[in-house]
Amino acid sequence: MPVKGSPENYDRFDKVDESLNLFNKMIQKCPKPSIVEFTKLLGATVRMKHYAAVVYMCSQMDFVGVPHDAYSLSVLINCFCQLGQTDFGFSVLGKMIKIGVEPSAVTFSTLINGLCKQRKISQAASLFDGMVEKGYQPHLITYSTILNGLCKTGDTRRAVRFLRMMEARGFKPDIVVYNTVIDCLCKCGLLKEALDLFSEVKVKDNRPNIITFSCLIHAIILIDAFCKDGLIFQAVDTIHTMRKQGLEPNVVTYTTLVDAYCKKGMVFEAKDIVDKMRKQGIQPDVVMYNILVDAYCKKGMVSEAEDIVDTMRKQSIEPNVVTYSILADAHCKKGMISLKLKASSTQ
DNA sequence: CTAGGGTTAG
């Protein structure tokens, strides 16, 4: 949540204030500006993420008799969806049909997105089927939205079927779509299927990108953590393969490795990765350092952990709430241990 | 002219 009084918030406030001022001028004008002009303003306000303001403006437009069209009403639907009130979005759709404004593929995609955000995937899927039946052409990203919803709710099987269906309908999935499914398969522990899809991506002229690789590396490491020791080397090997393909690992890729070593209690190996990374000119971030700080604390090396926090500051990476929580937690636990020791020594 | 929308690490 935004903090009241933060500078960027005031900045934002000024801008919404401006759009509301402009809006008031527009509705007072005698020949009213066209709906296109209003929609431009609505769009600008949406970009500032002030959805409630847009809802207000739309109702005022109704009040003064500015006629809505498919564009302005789609904006309104989007605002309800963003506010988590997809059902109101559907009422707007009903109103659209009632007043004879033809919804477009964008209108339906907006509602589908809203449903997916609320994890109502089956409703999203039937709306999707409905729009196709009525002859509206969904875009690649409409497919992607549904697919993402299926993956997020853990419906991996259906996600794979959906991927095949979109291919059958002549949509060429892009790397983002493949990454979504590959990650989903990885998270379900279906590494073999993920790797199969991965080689399929290579065969088609879609090049795997850094995200594709990071998903696979993360999956290999998870398997290592849960059942098969020694797979970290395979993960490192995958990084080499990545490099050969001209993809340089980034902080995220390395964080996966650092996390893996830390979970095994191999903090020095983890620290080593951070150092090597820096030598390559890749800046670690708070996330990565927090993992390292946590691992040191868990080993009882609290002062070493604090040294790392100092190093962070020297590299002008500011520790965040998570960093301080880790340290505070470590100090508490340490305190408990010394208390226990005291207690046992007095007995 | 003006609208919607997707991926990784804690």
Side-chain angles (χ1 to χ4, degrees):
Chain A
M1 283 305 275
V3 180
K4 219 179 179 181
S6 71
E8 67 166 50
N9 221 30
Y10 274 123
D11 187 40
R12 245 202 199 167
F13 178 75
D14 280 342
K15 282 181 186 155
V16 197
D17 222 27
E18 262 175 49
S19 38
L20 283 169
N21 274 334
L22 182 55
F23 180 78
N24 285 331
K25 278 182 196 145
M26 283 167 79
I27 51 172
Q28 280 161 29
K29 266 196 176 174
C30 206
K32 301 249 182 304
S34 71
I35 184 67
V36 175
E37 290 308 312
F38 276 105
T39 310
K40 280 180 188 165
L41 180 61
L42 296 178
T45 315
V46 167
R47 262 170 260 129
M48 293 184 242
K49 300 193 191 298
H50 279 277
Y51 307 115
V54 175
V55 172
Y56 164 77
M57 290 184 200
C58 285
S59 67
Q60 287 299 298
M61 284 162 71
D62 260 344
F63 190 67
V64 299
V66 177
H68 280 286
D69 67 0
Y71 286 76
S72 65
L73 290 176
S74 294
V75 174
L76 178 60
I77 291 175
N78 180 35
C79 289
F80 279 127
C81 289
Q82 297 292 340
L83 291 166
Q85 295 175 314
T86 312
D87 43 344
F88 285 153
F90 276 98
S91 331
V92 177
L93 177 68
K95 185 188 146 186
M96 263 174 107
I97 294 165
K98 205 185 270 173
I99 62 173
V101 173
E102 179 83 7
S104 68
V106 174
T107 317
F108 290 113
S109 293
T110 307
L111 284 164
I112 288 169
N113 184 45
L115 288 170
C116 285
K117 274 213 172 91
Q118 294 193 333
R119 306 212 148 201
K120 294 175 175 170
I121 309 304
S122 41
Q123 286 182 52
S126 45
L127 183 58
F128 182 87
D129 291 339
M131 75 179 274
V132 174
E133 265 170 39
K134 282 180 196 137
Y136 291 99
Q137 267 291 344
H139 291 177
L140 172 66
I141 296 188
T142 317
Y143 279 94
S144 181
T145 305
I146 301 258
L147 196 61
N148 190 32
L150 290 173
C151 289
K152 283 265 154 65
T153 50
D155 207 341
T156 322
R157 291 279 141 244
R158 223 170 135 197
V160 173
R161 277 208 306 273
F162 196 82
L163 173 73
R164 297 311 175 202
M165 185 207 74
M166 66 182 283
E167 286 175 318
R169 287 190 188 168
F171 276 91
K172 197 175 157 299
D174 62 6
I175 191 62
V176 175
V177 169
Y178 282 118
N179 285 347
T180 308
V181 183
I182 287 174
D183 184 50
C184 184
L185 289 167
C186 284
K187 291 217 166 97
C188 293
L190 299 164
L191 184 66
K192 198 199 163 297
E193 291 181 46
L195 287 170
D196 285 345
L197 192 55
F198 176 71
S199 27
E200 199 182 303
V201 174
K202 282 192 284 189
V203 172
K204 302 183 177 167
D205 49 12
N206 249 323
R207 279 167 53 91
N209 62 14
I210 184 137
I211 294 175
T212 327
F213 275 102
S214 291
C215 293
L216 289 177
I217 291 165
H218 188 222
I220 294 169
I221 280 165
L222 278 183
I223 294 171
D224 177 275
F226 285 116
C227 44
K228 272 189 182 167
D229 255 342
L231 281 181
I232 288 190
F233 300 103
Q234 198 171 320
V236 174
D237 199 54
T238 311
I239 292 184
H240 289 312
T241 316
M242 214 174 107
R243 274 233 180 76
K244 268 184 232 151
Q245 295 190 21
L247 287 171
E248 277 307 309
N250 63 11
V251 203
V252 179
T253 323
Y254 282 121
T255 301
T256 315
L257 268 186
V258 169
D259 192 31
Y261 280 121
C262 285
K263 283 210 175 84
K264 285 180 171 291
M266 299 160 79
V267 286
F268 299 113
E269 285 82 351
K271 179 79 170 41
D272 204 41
I273 291 178
V274 179
D275 294 337
K276 275 190 188 149
M277 219 181 89
R278 293 199 62 231
K279 271 183 203 140
Q280 286 176 38
I282 302 169
Q283 269 288 337
D285 63 4
V286 204
V287 178
M288 181 174 251
Y289 272 125
N290 283 348
I291 294 173
L292 204 56
V293 170
D294 189 46
Y296 273 82
C297 286
K298 286 214 169 83
K299 284 228 154 196
M301 301 159 74
V302 183
S303 58
E304 285 85 346
E306 277 169 341
D307 288 343
I308 294 175
V309 176
D310 281 336
T311 318
M312 280 171 75
R313 289 206 190 89
K314 272 180 205 141
Q315 293 169 20
S316 52
I317 299 162
E318 270 308 301
N320 63 12
V321 202
V322 178
T323 325
Y324 290 116
S325 306
I326 294 167
L327 287 180
D329 192 50
H331 279 292
C332 287
K333 287 206 173 102
K334 233 185 158 183
M336 306 259 276
I337 290 167
S338 47
L339 272 176
K340 265 188 202 160
L341 285 176
K342 263 186 201 162
S344 53
S345 62
T346 50
Q347 267 171 15

